[in-house]
Amino acid sequence: MPPKSKAAAAAAAAAAAQPVAVEDLFTTLHRHIEAGEFPQAVKVADQVLAAAPGDEDAVRCKVVAHIKSDAIEKALAAIRAAERLPIDLSYCKAYCYYRQNKLQEALDLLKGQEETSAILQLESQIYYRLGRMNDCMNSYEKLQKFKVESMDLKINIIAALVAAGRASEVQATMKAQKVDLSSRALRDTRSFELAYNSACSLIENKKYSEAKEQLDLAKRIGKEELMVDEYGDDDIEYELAPVSAQLAYVHQLQGQTQEAMETYNNITSRNLADPSSLAVATTNLISLKGTRDAADSLRKLSRLIEKSTAPNQLQLIESLESKLSPRQKEALYSAHVLLLLHANKIDQAHEFVSGLLGMFQDSTFPVLLQAAVHVREKKVQKAEEVLSQYAEKHPENSKGVLLSLAQIAASANHFQIAADSLSKIVDIQHMPATVATLVALKERLGDSNGASSVLDSAIQWWKNSMTEDNKLEVFMREAATFKLNHGRDEEACQLYEDLVKSFGSAEALAGLVATSARTNLEKAEQYEKKLKPLPGLKGINVESLEKTSGARPFEAPKPMEQDVTDEVKKQKAKKRKRKPRYPKGFDPANPGPPPDPERWLPKRERSSYRPKRKDKRAQVRGAQGAVSRDGTSSASASSSSKANQATKAPAAAPEPPKGSNKSRKKKSRS
C-alpha cells in the first residue's frame, strides 16, 4: 500500500481538529440510546457538553444513561455537578435514592413536586417498599386521572392491593381497568406477571384451586416467553422461581406437604432462584419441618440475616433488604426467634427480640415474640406484664396481643386475667368460641352470675344481629342448659319457652315441659299436650305401671357353645386394623434411622457388649520388697494373699522374716 502524501495527512488532521456539529452529536446520541448502548451515549453526551456547556438535554441524557447502565453513583455525581445549572433534576435524584434503598430521602425529594404520572408512579413504588400500602393505593388512585395504559402499572396495582390486604377488590379494580383475567386473555397478552399477581389475590381470598390454575398458566406463559427470548433452561428456572415458590405454597396450604417440600428443597439446594424467592422457600421449608433439624434450619436462616453496625439493630443481607415485603420479613424473623427458643439459645433470642422491638415499632409480632421468650424462661408474670402494657398503650392494635395474653394466663391458671383479656376484645365478644371460653373461665372462678351474664349478653346481641348464619338458637339452648344446671329453673324455663315460640324445636319443647314441672305445673301440663305421642304406648295402663315395683332387667337367652365360638371367630375376623400411632413430631415420610432393636435390653445382654479385660500388668512379680507398678510392695501383696488363704485353713504363727545380707552388714557397722 503506497504511503499517504503529506497533503492528505494534513487534511485528515484538519478534519479531526474541526469540531463536530452539535446537531450531529445529538443524532449520534439518539442512535446510541435507541440501540441501548448507554455507555457510548454517556461519552457522546460529554462531547455535547464540551461543545455546549450546560445544555439541559445533554445533562438529562447523561444522567438517564448512567441510570440505565445501573451506574447509580455516577448518575448522582452528574446530578451534583449540574446543581449550579437552572435544571430541576429532583425526580432523577429521587429515583437514584430509590434504587439505593434510601426510601425516606427519596420521598422527601418528591414532596412538593407537581403530581405528574411519573412522580406518582415513583411515589407509589416507594410507599410499597416502605410497607405503607394505604398511601401506595392512594397514589395509584390519583394515577387514574392520567389514564396511563401500561401493563406494568396494572400489574403493580394488583400487587399493591394484595399487599394492602384488599385482595377482594382485585376483580373489581381490574374490571375498571379493562383487564381480562381469563386464561385465554392472559395468554394473548403474554404477561405471566399479571397471572402471577392474580393468583396471589386468589390465595388471599382462599381460592386455592383457582390460584393453582393461574400459577400453572403463569408458568407456561413465562416459559414460552423466555424460550422465545432464547433463555437457557437454568435461566428460565431462575426467572420463574417466584412462580414455583408460590405454587409450592399453594400445595402447602392444601395439605400436600410432600409436593411442597420437594419444590422447596429443589429451590434451596440448586440455588437457581432470586434472593427473595430463595428466602421465601427457605422460610416455608423450615415451617414445614417444624422442630426437626432445628440446628440446620437455624444455620440456613442465619445466612440471610446480618447484624447492623448500630447497636441492637438487625437487617437482612443486602440482596434481601429491599426485596422482601414487611410481612415476609416478619415471617423470617419470627422463624429465626422460634428456632432459637427450640435450640435453648435464650440469650440470643433476647438479643434478637430487642433488635426487632426497635425496628418494628408499629407491629405486634416483636411483642409476641418477647412474651414467648419469657414464657420459655418460665417467667409467666413477666410475659403477662409485657402484653398487658402493650395492650394499654395500643388498644386499637391489640387483638392478637390480648388473645395471646388470655392463652398464657389460662395456661398458668390465672383465670381472672384471661377472662379480663377476652372481655376487652369487642369484635369477637359474642362469637361462640369466645363465649364458651369466658363461661368456662367464670365457672373456674366460681362466678356463675358472671357466666350467666355473658350468655345473656350474647343472646341479646344475636337477637339484634342481621347475619345469615345466626347463632341465636344455639346460644339460647346452651344458656338454658347452663341455667338449669346452676339452679336457675325459672330463667331456664323462660328460655325454653322463647325457643319453642321462636323455633318450634321438639327438643326445646321437651326441655320446657321438664323444667316447667319444677316451677309451674299448669304450664307443664299445657305444653305437655303439644308433645307428639310415642307410638306403641296406647294400650299401656299407666296406673298399673306405677303400682309395680319397676321393670325387671331384660336377660337375653344364652346361646349354645357352638354359637359362642362362631361369634368369637367372627369378631376376631372383623377386628379392624388400627392405624399406627406415632410419637409427637414424627414424620412417617422421613422417619430417619431405625431405632436400636436391643435398646430395652440390659447392656450385658446386648450383642455389642464387650466386658472389660483385667489388666494383667498389675500382677506383682520379683523378689520380696520389690515395688509394684501401682506403688505397693510385694510384701503387702503377699500378705494380702496370705490373708485370703486364712479364710480357707487355720493360720500358723508366722515366722519373722530373715533380713538380707545388706541389712545385716548395716547392723554390724552400727
Side-chain angles (χ1 to χ4, degrees), residues 410-457:
S411 301
N413 295 333
H414 300 163
F415 303 124
Q416 189 63 53
I417 297 175
D420 293 342
S421 301
L422 282 179
S423 300
K424 294 176 182 177
I425 309 174
V426 180
D427 56 341
I428 64 168
Q429 197 61 214
H430 308 294
M431 295 294 107
T434 309
V435 173
T437 306
L438 278 171
V439 170
L441 291 172
K442 296 286 185 181
E443 283 188 299
R444 291 287 186 92
L445 292 167
D447 185 10
S448 60
N449 293 329
S452 179
S453 63
V454 169
L455 289 167
D456 293 340
S457 176

Side-chain angles (χ1 to χ4, degrees), residues 160-232:
L161 284 171
V162 174
R166 297 163 58 181
S168 58
E169 303 176 22
V170 169
Q171 301 295 329
T173 304
M174 291 299 98
K175 190 175 291 184
Q177 293 282 333
K178 298 180 180 179
V179 176
D180 189 359
L181 293 177
S182 62
S183 302
R184 183 173 181 180
L186 289 173
R187 187 177 291 276
D188 292 340
T189 55
R190 307 196 65 78
S191 176
F192 72 93
E193 294 94 343
L194 191 60
Y196 172 79
N197 285 350
S198 172
C200 293
S201 69
L202 292 170
I203 292 172
E204 290 294 321
N205 292 327
K206 298 182 180 180
K207 297 179 180 179
Y208 303 131
S209 299
E210 297 177 29
K212 186 177 180 300
E213 293 177 4
Q214 290 285 317
L215 288 170
D216 288 333
L217 177 63
K219 204 165 188 177
R220 288 196 299 271
I221 296 174
K223 192 171 183 179
E224 291 172 5
E225 290 183 16
L226 296 173
M227 288 178 68
V228 170
D229 294 337
E230 298 181 355
Y231 276 69

Side-chain angles (χ1 to χ4, degrees), residues 178-467:
K178 298 180 180 179
V179 176
D180 189 359
L181 293 177
S182 62
S183 302
R184 183 173 181 180
L186 289 173
R187 187 177 291 276
D188 292 340
T189 55
R190 307 196 65 78
S191 176
F192 72 93
E193 294 94 343
L194 191 60
Y196 172 79
N197 285 350
S198 172
C200 293
S201 69
L202 292 170
I203 292 172
E204 290 294 321
N205 292 327
K206 298 182 180 180
K207 297 179 180 179
Y208 303 131
S209 299
E210 297 177 29
K212 186 177 180 300
E213 293 177 4
Q214 290 285 317
L215 288 170
D216 288 333
L217 177 63
K219 204 165 188 177
R220 288 196 299 271
I221 296 174
K223 192 171 183 179
E224 291 172 5
E225 290 183 16
L226 296 173
M227 288 178 68
V228 170
D229 294 337
E230 298 181 355
Y231 276 69
D233 292 340
D234 290 346
D235 295 331
I236 290 175
E237 188 171 349
Y238 183 91
E239 293 293 331
L240 296 179
V243 183
S244 300
Q246 200 74 343
L247 196 57
Y249 180 60
V250 172
H251 286 148
Q252 182 177 349
L253 293 174
Q254 290 180 322
Q256 301 171 4
T257 55
Q258 191 61 34
E259 293 86 344
M261 289 190 76
E262 288 177 2
T263 306
Y264 290 144
N265 281 319
N266 183 50
I267 293 174
T268 55
S269 61
R270 299 188 62 191
N271 204 19
L272 289 176
D274 58 289
S276 57
S277 299
L278 190 61
V280 169
T282 302
T283 307
N284 290 352
L285 179 62
I286 289 170
S287 70
L288 273 178
K289 290 168 63 177
T291 57
R292 290 184 294 120
D293 300 330
D296 180 62
S297 300
L298 199 56
R299 281 194 298 271
K300 290 180 178 178
L301 276 185
S302 299
R303 297 172 192 159
L304 308 177
I305 302 171
E306 62 183 15
K307 279 193 174 183
S308 175
T309 53
N312 290 333
Q313 190 168 355
L314 304 164
Q315 66 182 23
L316 300 177
I317 58 177
E318 185 178 357
S319 57
L320 281 180
E321 187 62 37
S322 61
K323 297 292 184 183
L324 295 183
S325 66
R327 287 175 60 188
Q328 290 171 331
K329 290 180 182 179
E330 287 183 7
L332 194 150
Y333 285 131
S334 300
H336 193 269
V337 174
L338 295 176
L339 285 173
L340 287 173
L341 292 179
H342 285 299
N344 289 325
K345 297 182 178 181
I346 308 298
D347 294 336
Q348 293 184 28
H350 266 302
E351 182 181 356
F352 207 87
V353 169
S354 63
L356 295 178
L357 288 169
M359 292 171 59
F360 299 91
Q361 298 180 0
D362 298 331
S363 180
T364 60
F365 93 98
V367 181
L368 296 175
L369 291 176
Q370 187 181 22
V373 175
H374 287 312
V375 171
R376 188 58 182 263
E377 291 179 307
K378 297 183 179 180
K379 298 179 180 178
V380 177
Q381 292 183 348
K382 184 67 175 176
E384 292 174 351
E385 181 183 348
V386 167
L387 294 175
S388 60
Q389 287 178 356
Y390 183 88
E392 291 176 2
K393 292 180 181 178
H394 308 87
E396 72 287 346
N397 192 29
S398 59
K399 179 178 177 180
V401 173
L402 288 171
L403 284 172
S404 300
L405 176 58
Q407 181 181 4
I408 292 171
S411 301
N413 295 333
H414 300 163
F415 303 124
Q416 189 63 53
I417 297 175
D420 293 342
S421 301
L422 282 179
S423 300
K424 294 176 182 177
I425 309 174
V426 180
D427 56 341
I428 64 168
Q429 197 61 214
H430 308 294
M431 295 294 107
T434 309
V435 173
T437 306
L438 278 171
V439 170
L441 291 172
K442 296 286 185 181
E443 283 188 299
R444 291 287 186 92
L445 292 167
D447 185 10
S448 60
N449 293 329
S452 179
S453 63
V454 169
L455 289 167
D456 293 340
S457 176
I459 290 171
Q460 189 62 37
W461 190 89
W462 283 103
K463 281 182 179 179
N464 300 326
S465 176
M466 303 299 292
T467 57

Side-chain angles (χ1 to χ4, degrees), residues 10 47 85 116 153-154 160 188 224 292 309 338 344 365 390 470 491 513 538 631 652 667:
Q47 293 179 13
L85 301 174
T116 62
L153 178 60
K154 295 170 183 177
D188 292 340
E224 291 172 5
R292 290 184 294 120
T309 53
L338 295 176
N344 289 325
F365 93 98
Y390 183 88
N470 199 294
E491 297 179 21
V513 172
K538 291 183 179 180
K667 289 179 181 178

Side-chain angles (χ1 to χ4, degrees), residues 119-121 123-125 127 134-144:
I119 292 287
L120 288 172
Q121 287 191 57
E123 188 180 65
S124 63
Q125 288 294 97
Y127 282 134
N134 291 329
D135 294 329
C136 176
M137 287 309 304
N138 289 336
S139 297
Y140 279 129
E141 288 170 2
K142 292 177 183 178
L143 267 172
Q144 304 302 319

Side-chain angles (χ1 to χ4, degrees), residues 631-643:
T632 58
S633 65
S634 61
S636 62
S638 61
S639 63
S640 64
S641 63
K642 289 179 180 179

Side-chain angles (χ1 to χ4, degrees), residues 473 477 495-497 499-500 504-513:
E473 183 181 2
R477 187 169 61 248
L495 283 171
Y496 277 128
E497 190 171 3
L499 271 171
V500 171
S505 171
E507 182 182 354
L509 183 59
L512 176 59
V513 172

